[in-house]
Amino acid sequence: MSVATNSPVPESLQPFLSSPKKMLIGGKWVDAKSGKTFEVFDPASDQVIAGVAEGDAADVELAVAAARKAFDQGPWSKMGGSERSRLIWRIGELIEEHADELAQIETLDNGKPFAVAKAADVALAADMFRYMAGWATKIEGNTIPIQLPYAPESEFHAFTLREPVGVVGQIIPWNFPLLMAAWKLAPALTTGCTVILKPAEQTPLSALRLGELILQAGVPDGVVNIITGFGETAGAAIASHDQIDKVAFTGSTEVGKLIINAATGNLKRVSLELGGKSPNVIYDDADLDSAIAGAADAIFFNQGEVCSAGSRLFVQKGVYDEVVAGVSEIAKNLKVGSGFDASTQMGPLVSREQFDRVTGYLKAGVSEGAEAAAGGSALDRPGYFVQPTVLKNASEDMSVVREEIFGPVVAAMPFGDEAELVGQANNTAYGLAAGIWTRDISKAHRFAKAVKAGSVWINCYSVFDAALPFGGYKQSGWGREMGHAVLENYLQTKSVCVSL
Ligand code: NAI
Ligand code: MG
């Protein structure tokens, strides 16, 4: 691993950074009712970059009133699919027109390399709005022939309507701030819902810029409201609010369970995209060069702060040493530094808290008996930098194998045969994703059927597309993001029956 030099924040971002960071409620930018603000940090330097309005329950109250009004009475509820579609498409275009600026904001706020922010976060966010724009005109029910057993002579015309679920609270994390906002907002808008969005307290900036673009696109006041603030205050007020019809959450499994409990008051709908500890499998018959590069990418992409990261690497015994050596070699050569340095391949972790969590796991792994074949510690410099790390001699009872680390740390374990592998791969509370590398297509497909995970990648990893559903089995969540599957999260079905 080599260290890139620290590059300064682009001058062009200064006007955005120095403007006051208010919340979007009912089409207006407002301060928190309490007048409080909180600080946002540059993870590459540990310096404060902005102060942002600290919303809490009182501000959520105002946002819910605005969203309710827009849903119950506003122009939004009367707008046809074609017009909604045009607005949503326009948001995608505006994201693309501001791609450099949005990617810079993301790099500054989250730490990720600028090239990654632009090619992945920003491009996928624009594409998500474009994909979802198409659905606004294609939300259809069915006509259903019925005949009553107890009145066979009677005749009916029966059909279903698909209606928006209503006012939606959306609580998102810090690992892909803009993209997570897009995954949530685009399907809510296409189905005709209104929204209160709460970005993560670590990374609120790109959502605020997106809010400006959403207004610029012409989305009516109150349809999208953005509350910045902390989870325990603003987030909890959203999850428990009895005038919110649904909450969509992405984040930790622990908080996902709190959300479910908070939602019981009015039995609001809940969808959850939670943590993972995904198995990535390499067989001895794989194309080892691409499998090794793929395994490194599966864990080091985005500093390992990816819910579907391939954090448990299972390698068939005969090639275990070769694969561990290969992934370790890549780890040692990765350029770690400021996301604004063009040569940087891996940035800092998002926050001091996440840095403490990940370095805590590095210590725990070694004390439980694993050995660092690459990395293993923090970098001695300002900012929240850790080394890309490969742990070998890991076993299933270790915390680094059982728990989500959410950092650039992979635990490599050998396996013997297929039967042993499937048991090991599924030995987790999570079920978000899985990868397999082999030239034997039958073996690959058998694994795809046997593994309990919402996404399976064969001879590839981390392939995301707006059209492809994504979400968890087991404790990785409820419901799906993206694809037409996500529409289910935001629609409900009404059956209408007419006597003829
Ligand atoms: P978190 O789950 O606490 O935060 C995610 C979002 O939930 C943030 O917007 C936060 O403000 C909000 N939140 C927190 N507590 C809440 C509450 N009681 N009610 C309503 N909203 C609440 O995640 P955190 O603390 O940032 O990270 C902890 C661990 O969670 C990470 O190490 C990682 O393992 C996991 N995580 C998983 C993510 C995923 O994409 N599945 C994303 C972020 C974190
Ligand atoms: Mg938390």
Side-chain angles (χ1 to χ4, degrees), residues 174 201-202 231-232 252 254-255 353 357:
W174 41 258
E201 53 270 40
Q202 296 84 352
E232 296 75 7
S252 61
E254 183 193 352
V255 173
E353 186 189 5
R357 188 177 289 136

Side-chain angles (χ1 to χ4, degrees), residues 206-426:
S206 58
L208 295 177
R209 188 68 187 102
L210 178 62
E212 293 174 349
L213 298 178
I214 286 171
L215 293 184
Q216 194 180 327
V219 173
D221 292 352
V223 172
V224 174
N225 305 276
I226 303 176
I227 297 286
T228 44
F230 293 93
E232 296 75 7
T233 49
I238 290 171
S240 64
H241 203 290
D242 66 1
Q243 293 299 308
I244 293 181
D245 302 303
K246 179 212 156 51
V247 62
F249 171 77
T250 298
S252 61
T253 294
E254 183 193 352
V255 173
K257 292 177 183 180
L258 295 177
I259 302 269
I260 294 170
N261 285 328
T264 56
N266 70 338
L267 286 182
K268 61 173 65 65
R269 274 83 180 132
V270 177
S271 55
L272 304 167
E273 200 260 277
L274 307 175
K277 194 74 190 178
S278 298
N280 186 24
V281 176
I282 300 180
Y283 272 97
D284 60 10
D285 63 0
D287 169 350
L288 284 188
D289 287 343
S290 61
I292 287 168
D297 226 37
I299 187 65
F300 301 135
F301 171 66
N302 210 52
Q303 299 74 241
E305 296 167 329
V306 181
C307 49
S308 54
S311 52
R312 290 183 299 143
L313 179 61
F314 293 102
V315 187
Q316 204 164 18
K317 276 179 184 138
V319 294
Y320 180 79
D321 288 339
E322 184 182 348
V323 168
V324 168
V327 177
S328 300
E329 192 60 23
I330 294 173
K332 288 173 189 161
N333 287 307
L334 273 184
K335 197 125 189 220
V336 180
S338 158
F340 287 113
D341 187 317
S343 65
T344 289
Q345 293 166 299
M346 202 181 90
L349 297 176
V350 73
S351 63
R352 167 73 51 199
E353 186 189 5
Q354 195 61 17
F355 174 87
D356 290 342
R357 188 177 289 136
V358 172
T359 50
Y361 275 112
L362 291 176
K363 289 192 192 97
V366 171
S367 74
E368 289 170 21
E371 186 190 323
S377 55
L379 288 188
D380 184 18
R381 59 181 282 180
Y384 320 132
F385 294 94
V386 298
Q387 295 176 317
T389 296
V390 179
L391 296 175
K392 61 179 186 180
N393 302 334
S395 60
E396 290 182 274
D397 52 324
M398 294 177 183
S399 62
V400 287
V401 174
R402 287 196 323 271
E403 296 167 21
E404 181 172 55
I405 299 176
F406 227 63
V409 184
V410 64
M413 290 160 287
F415 71 92
D417 59 15
E418 197 172 331
E420 189 183 314
L421 166 74
V422 169
Q424 282 177 285
N426 283 332

Side-chain angles (χ1 to χ4, degrees), residues 97-141:
E97 284 167 26
H98 295 84
D100 280 318
E101 182 196 359
L102 288 165
Q104 285 170 354
I105 293 172
E106 219 63 327
T107 293
L108 181 63
D109 209 2
N110 166 278
K112 66 182 70 197
F114 174 77
V116 170
K118 193 166 172 192
D121 300 64
V122 175
L124 289 171
D127 202 48
M128 184 67 187
F129 281 100
R130 290 211 169 118
Y131 171 83
M132 280 295 158
W135 276 111
T137 48
K138 297 164 194 70
I139 294 165
E140 300 164 346

Side-chain angles (χ1 to χ4, degrees), residues 419-480:
E420 189 183 314
L421 166 74
V422 169
Q424 282 177 285
N426 283 332
N427 183 16
T428 168
Y430 295 111
L432 197 52
I436 179 167
W437 304 77
T438 173
R439 286 193 173 95
D440 179 340
I441 57 164
S442 298
K443 204 154 64 185
H445 283 285
R446 283 197 300 273
F447 177 76
K449 277 181 91 168
V451 72
K452 292 186 171 47
S455 292
V456 183
W457 290 299
I458 298 175
N459 293 329
C460 58
Y461 207 92
S462 296
V463 177
F464 288 94
D465 189 280
L468 199 60
F470 176 76
Y473 280 38
K474 302 199 282 188
Q475 292 191 36
S476 289
W478 291 353
R480 292 292 175 269

Side-chain angles (χ1 to χ4, degrees), residues 66-88:
R68 274 262 60 107
K69 186 165 169 235
F71 185 79
D72 295 329
Q73 308 153 32
W76 191 240
S77 43
K78 297 177 189 81
M79 195 183 278
S82 176
E83 205 179 336
R84 278 208 314 280
S85 173
R86 266 180 255 201
L87 293 177
I88 297 165

